Structures are given as C-alpha cells and as structure tokens.
Amino acid sequence: MKLLGVSSAEAIVAQARTEKIFGRVNVVIDAQRNEFYLATYEISADGWREIAPLKILSRAEVSIAGGSG
C-alpha cells in the first residue's frame, strides 16, 4: 500500500478549488492556545500555488494579516 501525506491547509485549498473559490485565499486553522496557522494561496481553475508558507500567529496577528483590522 502506498501513502500520501497531505497537509490540512492543502486539503482546505483543494476543497476551495472544488467549490470554485478562486483568487488569493488566506487559509486559517486553529492551532489552539489562542494561536492560528495562516498560509496564503492563489487558486485558479488550473490548480493552486502557495504565496505565503504556513506560519503560526496570534489572534491579533491573524486579524491584521487578514485585513480585518
């Protein structure tokens, strides 16, 4: 049996693409303890590419990075 590792962020991006959510997308995943994982992708009908790699941020940093002030 062969195995393939897929990150949670990649799984979310794949689902977004399936649902025809295109353009620049920030993926935010709860990391517990008031911290979050954040990565940015560019999604198109042809696939996706990572714009900013996954990093861990505080709630305030995610709000600033996401542009919601």
Side-chain angles (χ1 to χ4, degrees):
M1 176 190 312
K2 294 183 181 184
L3 299 175
L4 173 66
V6 178
S7 75
S8 297
E10 289 174 334
I12 291 169
V13 170
Q15 182 63 38
R17 183 171 167 259
T18 297
E19 295 181 19
K20 299 187 182 350
I21 298 171
F22 301 133
R24 189 162 289 202
V25 175
N26 288 325
V27 174
V28 180
I29 302 168
D30 190 351
Q32 304 299 313
R33 298 184 181 154
N34 215 22
E35 294 180 317
F36 297 84
Y37 296 107
L38 171 69
T40 304
Y41 293 85
E42 183 70 34
I43 305 172
S44 71
D46 297 327
W48 68 83
R49 67 183 176 98
E50 185 180 68
I51 301 296
L54 199 64
K55 58 187 168 186
I56 194 162
L57 301 172
S58 69
R59 180 182 298 272
E61 291 170 315
V62 168
S63 293
I64 292 168
S68 60

